[in-house]
Amino acid sequence: MIFSASFVLLLASCGPKWTEKEREGFNLITNEGGQSLGYSPESGVTILTVDRLAFKDLNKNGKLDPYEDWRLPAEERASDLASKMTREQIAGLMLYSGHQRIPGGGFGAGGTYGDKPYDESGAKPSDLTDQQIEFLTDDNLRHVLITTVESPEVAARWNNNAQALVEGLGLGIPANNSSDPRHEAESDEEYTLGAGGTISRWPNSIGLAASFDPALVKQFGEIASKEYRALGIATALSPQVDLATDPRWYRFSGTFGPSPELSIAMSKAYIDGFQTSPGEMEIAGGWGYESVNAMAKHWPGGGTGEGGRDAHYGFGKFAVYPGDNMETHMRPFLEGAFALEGGTGMASAIMPYYTISFDQDPSGENVGNSFSKYIIQELLRDKYGYDGVVCTDWGVTRPDAGMAVFGQTPWGVEDLTEAQRHYRILMAGCDQFGGNNDAGPVLEAYDMGVQEFGEDFMRARFERSATRLLMNIFRVGLFENPYLDTEETNNIVGNPDFMDAGYQAQLKSIVMLKNKDGVLPLEKTTRIYVPTRYVPASQNFFGQEIPARWEDPVSKSLLGEYFMLTNDPDSADVALVVINNPDNGRTAGYSTAEAEAGGNGFLPVSLQYGSYTATEARDPSIAGDAREQDVLNRTYKNKTVTANNVTDLELVLTTRKEMKDKPVIVVLKMSNPTVVSEFEKVIDGLLINFNIQDQAILDIISGATEPSGLLPLQMPANMATVETQMEDVPFDMQPYVDSEGHTYDFAFGLNWNGVIQDERTEMYKPAGKIMTGN
């Protein structure tokens, strides 16, 4: 039979406008002029052809539902899907998992694989743990917090396994995986031009702030978002836009510093970089396949803990406002995270901090921010119009287990049951429960709402949160294609261009504070002495023991590429001493032993190395807890502490004596502002390292790169000015003046020509300040 050319064309015009190819672990469908679809044939999902285009039949009912139609707006799809979900499915959507390693699962002993530990199971590193399968299947959880991964390829395969599992369940809602910041550099890594890595390495937030360059921060967001999506991560639990107005806060280095103006600019750039998909990667409104939801934190600002203490612990649960300055702490949210320049408009999610914003609620109630209707519903939602996702910080619904126990933070509602805490959070206006894998308490909270307000009210309340949560999954294209091509992942994550961009940013984060007589840069023929450093025993943030050790603070092989090495200070031309800022320990500001001995347990948080007695501390404290098992007056007046690493100060002073009148250069690895008066006058050079690669520091010291970083903070003159500053007020300390007459104030830094004065110092100087070198 012979068909005419016109008949053949007619048949072609009536056929499907999509093609399908098999990929590793999934099938990929390309719609002509539409969205590409990824699905697992093993999930039971089939493909519908409507108007000659392909759609996934996620709920397997044989027809195209609005939520399955990628042509519709995300909000319409989310609303439709929310209306179809059972209360059990919505409760699961409200969960945000505890930290998950790949492989290994949760913290501690980790997860199991077929009831066996990973090392004994024979499982692949990309397999799901028994516990992950359980919370994805039985608890309907769809938000997974990922920590360490064995490799980018393993992360991609784990993602595909997880997505194939949930695609075959119920309504086919994909997993929205997330991460805390994961791009920070390791000091002993070596960068080689043209080499790739496991992920690009950048300064931390305070290091990015030291560049005073929002365009650099936006570039970081653009690159990091591509790497996140290639790892299967679609939500970033960042940025931390808290104003770090108290220099003692443990989480200072995760912020952009105390400046409202700099933090606003950096927050905008960071979120725009993460959330905006360019060109053909855009789906709608700036969102698309390279977008990563940014969860800005911590509303309404977490940097005002009394005495600088942190709210991961009961001894730090109160945020105080002696300067009546709470509105300033909201500015990085209101003028930054909620006022983006890109098409996405605002950060898609917000995380409140653990703290009780003490005496800020006009009703007089003092509860943790996530439990506070005033902080969430009345301020964030009603007054400031935020309608995105609000997710609690991790562990706020867990029971209080003592003053110095990590991660169990039901502040202000310690006497409620776990289910009652969930109910308080929902009624306060939050949508999601950080660190909870179990839907049971959420369903109990639903029943409490039904009892108080009726079924219709509570159903509507659940659907409102579900719609917000689903919007963040729809807008980034996960319903269309949540799967990853492992070859593409390997080509994207840590590629040479991204590695180079991160390294250049590290160089821009380095701040030179002192360069007496132009001792820097050093010639390659310089004989350099780098003393070994004693690292005292400590605990990490999660309480794991770290034994004491001696270390070479910089790799000798790396040093040898730059200078001539010697172990003899007498034969050295210059000494390079590498130290960390003063360390107050994991439970900075509190001692269980002191409490058990009859004291109140509260101690100063010191920013100097040597012995410090808090003669200027307030008494009584602003905030306290009158319950019998707690402490009402949390003063530490006249108590004395010494930094755990006072040996770092001793190392500098000893090296000074060994070198006699020859130059001593100090590299200070800094996460908090530091009182340098204990050693500055006896050294010749001082560089601030915001925890970047040693190689970047050596590129500055050797003159390969000129320093350009500026202090994104104030360096206090002494602990008296730290003690008398107000926790909620920026720039209210007396800054240190060095032996050269330079003032270590916000936006100070040196290059080879002297004090840096440029458009950055002019743009971001605090009102009323004249930025000079002395």
Side-chain angles (χ1 to χ4, degrees), residues 529-698:
Y529 167 59
V530 182
T532 57
R533 176 174 176 264
Y534 177 72
V535 183
S538 62
Q539 293 180 323
N540 69 11
F541 195 63
F542 300 104
Q544 296 167 315
E545 297 291 335
I546 303 172
R549 65 189 187 279
W550 286 90
E551 69 175 16
D552 288 322
V554 183
S555 162
K556 288 184 177 180
S557 63
L558 181 61
L559 278 165
E561 296 176 16
Y562 289 83
F563 309 109
M564 299 175 64
L565 304 184
T566 178
N567 292 323
D568 179 15
D570 289 333
S571 65
D573 299 316
V574 174
L576 177 65
V577 185
V578 181
I579 60 176
N580 287 4
N581 62 239
D583 174 25
N584 289 268
R586 181 175 65 94
T587 58
Y590 187 80
S591 167
T592 300
E594 204 258 5
E596 291 174 347
N600 69 359
F602 287 83
L603 298 175
V605 178
S606 178
L607 300 182
Q608 70 182 40
Y609 296 94
S611 177
Y612 164 62
T613 301
T615 57
E616 304 292 327
R618 65 171 65 100
D619 185 11
S621 60
I622 292 175
D625 190 331
R627 294 178 306 139
E628 183 177 350
Q629 64 269 42
D630 213 295
V631 177
L632 181 59
N633 184 3
R634 297 178 164 214
T635 185
Y636 48 85
K637 187 176 179 68
N638 295 323
K639 293 183 182 180
T640 300
V641 293
T642 302
N644 293 345
N645 61 330
V646 67
T647 47
D648 278 354
L649 173 62
E650 295 165 357
L651 181 63
V652 175
L653 300 180
T654 298
T655 304
R656 171 74 279 166
K657 291 178 182 177
E658 291 175 335
M659 292 297 291
K660 301 181 175 63
D661 61 350
K662 292 180 289 187
V664 175
I665 299 163
V666 169
V667 174
L668 174 59
K669 293 184 176 181
M670 198 168 81
S671 54
N672 287 82
T674 300
V675 176
V676 298
S677 60
E678 296 170 296
F679 64 84
E680 178 276 323
K681 288 181 172 56
V682 304
I683 65 172
D684 302 275
L686 178 59
L687 294 166
I688 302 302
N689 170 359
F690 290 111
N691 293 300
I692 58 172
Q693 292 169 241
D694 295 329
Q695 185 177 355
I697 294 291
L698 294 178

Side-chain angles (χ1 to χ4, degrees), residues 305-325:
E306 185 163 18
R309 299 183 294 271
D310 184 69
H312 279 87
Y313 302 92
F315 57 78
K317 65 185 175 182
F318 291 108
V320 296
Y321 298 88
D324 194 23
N325 209 29

Side-chain angles (χ1 to χ4, degrees), residues 54-94:
F55 302 86
K56 293 198 285 188
D57 186 12
L58 292 167
N59 62 1
K60 309 172 189 65
N61 67 352
K63 65 177 184 179
L64 182 63
D65 293 288
Y67 87 91
E68 297 165 333
D69 189 345
W70 44 259
R71 299 169 297 184
L72 298 177
E75 188 168 5
E76 183 177 343
R77 299 175 71 189
S79 179
D80 175 66
L81 179 52
S83 71
K84 290 175 165 61
M85 296 174 72
T86 66
R87 67 174 199 156
E88 288 80 10
Q89 289 168 331
I90 295 177
L93 194 65
M94 290 176 167

Side-chain angles (χ1 to χ4, degrees), residues 127-454:
D127 287 346
L128 275 62
T129 66
D130 300 332
Q131 292 75 24
Q132 290 164 353
I133 293 170
E134 180 181 2
F135 63 58
L136 291 170
T137 303
D138 297 343
D139 291 289
N140 296 293
L141 184 148
R142 291 296 179 270
H143 294 80
V144 183
L145 173 54
I146 295 172
T147 57
T148 58
V149 298
E150 183 174 289
S151 70
E153 185 173 325
V154 166
R157 287 199 169 103
W158 181 93
N159 170 79
N160 289 353
N161 289 336
Q163 299 294 4
L165 172 65
V166 298
E167 187 175 72
L169 300 174
L171 296 164
I173 299 171
N176 181 358
N177 303 321
S178 70
S179 175
D180 282 309
R182 61 191 312 115
H183 282 82
E184 293 181 18
E186 298 290 338
S187 64
D188 58 355
E189 290 180 315
E190 189 167 349
Y191 167 70
T192 303
L193 185 64
T198 55
I199 200 165
S200 61
R201 297 299 186 183
W202 297 73
N204 58 18
S205 291
I206 198 66
L208 289 170
S211 74
F212 280 61
D213 184 358
L216 179 69
V217 176
K218 185 177 182 182
Q219 181 193 30
F220 163 67
E222 292 167 346
I223 289 174
S225 66
K226 291 179 176 68
E227 293 185 309
Y228 271 34
R229 292 303 300 266
L231 293 168
I233 295 167
T235 294
L237 303 188
S238 59
Q240 190 181 329
V241 304
D242 311 277
L243 289 183
T245 50
D246 192 291
R248 298 164 290 189
W249 188 29
Y250 191 98
R251 303 187 70 177
F252 191 105
S253 64
T255 75
F256 296 120
S259 165
E261 282 70 28
L262 185 60
S263 294
I264 289 166
M266 295 302 195
S267 301
K268 275 188 179 184
Y270 188 110
I271 299 169
D272 270 330
F274 265 91
Q275 291 192 167
T276 305
S277 284
E280 63 182 15
M281 302 306 293
E282 182 181 5
I283 298 171
W287 293 100
Y289 292 105
E290 287 184 356
S291 297
V292 171
N293 294 286
M295 186 179 290
K297 56 189 186 184
H298 302 88
W299 177 263
T304 68
E306 185 163 18
R309 299 183 294 271
D310 184 69
H312 279 87
Y313 302 92
F315 57 78
K317 65 185 175 182
F318 291 108
V320 296
Y321 298 88
D324 194 23
N325 209 29
M326 185 176 180
E327 289 188 2
T328 297
H329 285 261
M330 297 181 193
R331 288 187 59 201
F333 294 92
L334 305 180
E335 300 172 43
F338 301 168
L340 304 181
E341 295 177 359
T344 65
M346 66 178 184
S348 66
I350 292 295
M351 181 187 295
Y353 205 38
Y354 298 109
T355 44
I356 295 169
S357 297
F358 189 71
D359 279 357
Q360 298 304 299
D361 185 341
S363 74
E365 183 178 56
N366 282 306
V367 294
N369 293 317
S370 292
F371 301 100
S372 171
K373 186 175 182 181
Y374 172 72
I375 294 294
I376 305 301
Q377 187 64 50
E378 295 180 20
L379 282 183
L380 178 60
R381 295 212 185 275
D382 296 343
K383 183 174 181 178
Y384 298 118
Y386 184 75
D387 196 36
V389 168
V390 179
C391 176
T392 75
D393 214 328
W394 263 233
V396 300
T397 59
R398 298 171 191 156
D400 179 19
M403 191 74 80
V405 175
F406 175 82
Q408 299 187 218
T409 54
W411 309 142
V413 294
E414 292 91 342
D415 296 334
L416 297 184
T417 67
E418 187 176 9
Q420 288 170 336
R421 294 185 195 114
H422 283 78
Y423 184 52
R424 277 293 302 261
I425 288 167
L426 286 173
M427 292 301 102
C430 297
D431 304 296
Q432 199 165 28
F433 306 94
N436 181 9
N437 303 349
D438 180 9
V442 186
L443 293 171
E444 288 186 63
Y446 182 92
D447 291 337
M448 292 176 187
V450 171
Q451 186 173 0
E452 183 172 359
F453 297 107

